[in-house]
Amino acid sequence: MLRVVFPTNQLMSYISPIESTFEKSNYLTIVDLNGQNIFDVEIIKNPHPHSNEDILKECKDKHFGVLILSDTKDIPIKELKKNGTSVFKSKDKEIVLDAVHDFIQDKLEKVS
């Protein structure tokens, strides 16, 4: 199973628009993928609002394998990669479900 996390501000499950950064999000929408299928969707309050740096600890603690957001400039990419978390760039204000589809179809840009 692969855990994919998105910064969001709405409690609309996988139809929530993705926020540009974790600093701007009130929630984290977590999609668990089993192969190409959505196994589960969970929404949690962002435990580290206003901090892109703290997402590193959150990814390690919650076993997030993939982060997807539209603005990746302040994300600690190298540290996340060392911990086994990949970062992909979504379109601005794309909804979670569309980004999941694009991820599965290998249409998202991987940030390295």
Side-chain angles (χ1 to χ4, degrees), residues 4-5 7 9 14 22-23 26-27 29 36-37 39 53 56-57 60 66 80-82 87-88 94 97 100 108:
V4 183
V5 64
N9 274 326
Y14 53 74
F22 287 94
E23 292 176 328
N26 293 322
Y27 304 102
T29 298
Q36 294 186 353
N37 299 312
F39 179 76
E53 288 295 322
L56 183 61
K57 181 181 180 330
K60 189 174 182 178
V66 173
L80 286 164
K81 191 174 181 179
K82 285 179 189 175
V87 179
F88 290 83
E94 185 172 24
L97 185 59
V100 168
L108 295 181

Side-chain angles (χ1 to χ4, degrees), residues 83-100:
N83 286 339
T85 303
S86 300
V87 179
F88 290 83
K89 190 168 186 171
S90 68
K91 297 173 192 157
D92 193 36
K93 297 294 181 186
E94 185 172 24
I95 66 167
V96 169
L97 185 59
D98 290 342
V100 168

Side-chain angles (χ1 to χ4, degrees), residues 1-109:
M1 183 162 351
L2 179 64
R3 302 196 82 203
V4 183
V5 64
F6 303 85
T8 58
N9 274 326
Q10 297 180 11
L11 295 170
M12 296 173 53
S13 188
Y14 53 74
I15 62 170
S16 297
I18 303 168
E19 286 303 313
S20 59
T21 68
F22 287 94
E23 292 176 328
K24 295 179 181 177
S25 70
N26 293 322
Y27 304 102
L28 302 178
T29 298
I30 303 148
V31 177
D32 292 331
L33 295 177
N34 189 1
Q36 294 186 353
N37 299 312
I38 294 175
F39 179 76
D40 192 23
V41 179
E42 177 184 4
I43 300 171
I44 61 172
K45 185 147 181 69
N46 186 350
H48 308 287
H50 314 297
S51 174
N52 273 335
E53 288 295 322
D54 288 334
I55 195 64
L56 183 61
K57 181 181 180 330
E58 198 65 25
C59 285
K60 189 174 182 178
D61 292 348
K62 302 277 190 199
H63 307 287
F64 297 145
V66 173
L67 301 180
I68 299 179
L69 64 165
S70 63
D71 182 358
T72 59
K73 67 181 177 206
D74 294 326
I75 298 292
I77 305 291
K78 290 180 183 178
E79 292 86 357
L80 286 164
K81 191 174 181 179
K82 285 179 189 175
N83 286 339
T85 303
S86 300
V87 179
F88 290 83
K89 190 168 186 171
S90 68
K91 297 173 192 157
D92 193 36
K93 297 294 181 186
E94 185 172 24
I95 66 167
V96 169
L97 185 59
D98 290 342
V100 168
H101 180 263
D102 289 346
F103 174 74
I104 290 169
Q105 298 297 316
D106 200 27
K107 293 180 181 179
L108 295 181
E109 174 190 346

